Amino acid sequence: MAKLVAILATTHHPFFYRTSQLPPEEAPPFAAEWVRKVLAYRETLTRARPDLLVMVGSDHFHQLWLDNMPQFLIGKAPYYDANWYNEEREFGLPKLRMRGHEELSAYMLREGLDKGFDLAFSNELRIDHSITCPIFTVRPQNDLPIVPVYTNIFAPPLPRPERFVALGKALREIIDAWPSDLRVAVIGTGHLSLELGGPRQFGPHGPDPEFDARAVEWIANGDIDGCLANVTLESLHAPGNATHGFMDFMLMMGIAGYNKADYADNLDLFHTMEAYFTWYPNGVDA
Amino acid sequence: MSKYLLNKFLFTIDRDPDLVERYREDPAGTVAWWEAEKANEILNAHTGERSTWLEFTPQERAALSTHDHVALFELGAHPFLTLTLWIAMFERDATEPLAMQREYAAKLAHFSLPYPDIAT
């Protein structure tokens, strides 16, 4: 069976790439600590020596549009082009090409369908910064094949938080049962409290530091039940109008199960809090 | 009311660099042209197939034609689409980093929860 060697759940901040490229004299005061934390986080993936990456993220109205919107989608293609013109324009993100892993994509689609998740698929998917941000942060050499998993946290009606957790649990079972010798890491990105295009955007912190503190505790402690008891589709409007991206963290909690994170870190930035979690489900040295 | 069509306008303008510039310079003309020529294009279909029923309400047309992001928020346009396109059009005019985004937020300060519904 495949070995799930690491589970990474993190925020994705599209400004990190450009900030990390600035010479020290031009960099903002928070840049050095941000880069240091990201480099430390990168090591948590590197030490797991993965062969391929399952990557959970959410399209930001790039390829997935309101005339044909899937709730959960898995890419199945030999390659994925990545990043879009407006991400180059706004964030300075370069275009990438990533290899796919069609065998695992096919297996995840088949098994997911049979477990009661009507997963959409795509054979030609250009992925966006929800998946490329963690490539820039934790695997900048971009040398591993990926299976992209997209969720809808963006265009209501959305699946409920329980469904994200349930899909995470199912994906964990599927990966654990995949007949392969490969070492798999799952990397998923979401948000803590976040406001985009509303009155609370781009403040000195995330729009709801209290929510962020609780969320970090839920994730770090593997407290799925506590999280589900306090988070609903409706309640997620309160911490910020883009906070439904937290449901991608909840999906990752479903993958990690009722376990404390082996690595947890965060950084209070303008606009939003960054957070970095890693689990080693088969031990650090598996 | 057609939140979907508002979003479709924002989405299709934002992804085309020439249209971003055209909308910045001539909002009313761009909206009129777009509604006449582009509103009914089915984006994920072969070219030549069109819808027959999509049009803006007067309020929606006015909001887009005057770059009124506060009205778009009130009408339930997807705030991510509006913000992204506004950054593309107007961040360049700001005097310091994030000043444009903060001014954009300040103009929305009179909204409290729950915000206008964005479901389409």
Side-chain angles (χ1 to χ4, degrees), chain B residues 56-63:
Chain B
F56 294 123
T57 65
Q59 279 176 307
E60 292 167 346
R61 195 176 296 117

Side-chain angles (χ1 to χ4, degrees), chain A residues 67 86 89 154 195 200-201, chain B residues 11 14 17 44 78 101 115:
Chain A
D67 61 355
N86 66 1
R89 180 187 74 199
F154 208 60
E195 177 114 332
R200 294 174 287 173
Q201 70 177 7
Chain B
F11 172 68
D14 179 73
N44 282 331
H78 199 294
Q101 288 86 340
Y115 295 163

Side-chain angles (χ1 to χ4, degrees), chain A residues 55-67:
Chain A
M55 304 203 67
V56 178
S58 299
D59 181 75
H60 298 67
F61 284 143
H62 285 119
Q63 186 164 339
L64 306 184
W65 176 240
L66 299 169
D67 61 355

Side-chain angles (χ1 to χ4, degrees), chain A residues 47-123:
Chain A
R47 68 183 299 179
R49 296 177 290 111
D51 297 314
L52 70 96
L53 306 174
V54 174
M55 304 203 67
V56 178
S58 299
D59 181 75
H60 298 67
F61 284 143
H62 285 119
Q63 186 164 339
L64 306 184
W65 176 240
L66 299 169
D67 61 355
N68 195 0
M69 179 60 77
Q71 300 294 1
F72 298 110
L73 177 146
I74 294 181
K76 180 183 178 294
Y79 295 96
Y80 301 95
D81 290 299
N83 289 337
W84 294 72
Y85 142 70
N86 66 1
E87 297 173 305
E88 207 170 23
R89 180 187 74 199
E90 185 175 345
F91 310 128
L93 292 176
K95 303 266 174 78
L96 295 179
R97 191 168 86 169
M98 310 172 78
R99 277 188 297 141
H101 197 286
E102 288 195 271
E103 181 192 334
L104 181 55
S105 290
Y107 184 79
M108 287 171 61
L109 282 162
R110 180 70 264 157
E111 296 295 314
L113 289 165
D114 292 346
K115 287 179 182 294
F117 292 89
D118 295 331
L119 302 167
F121 65 92
S122 173
N123 294 145

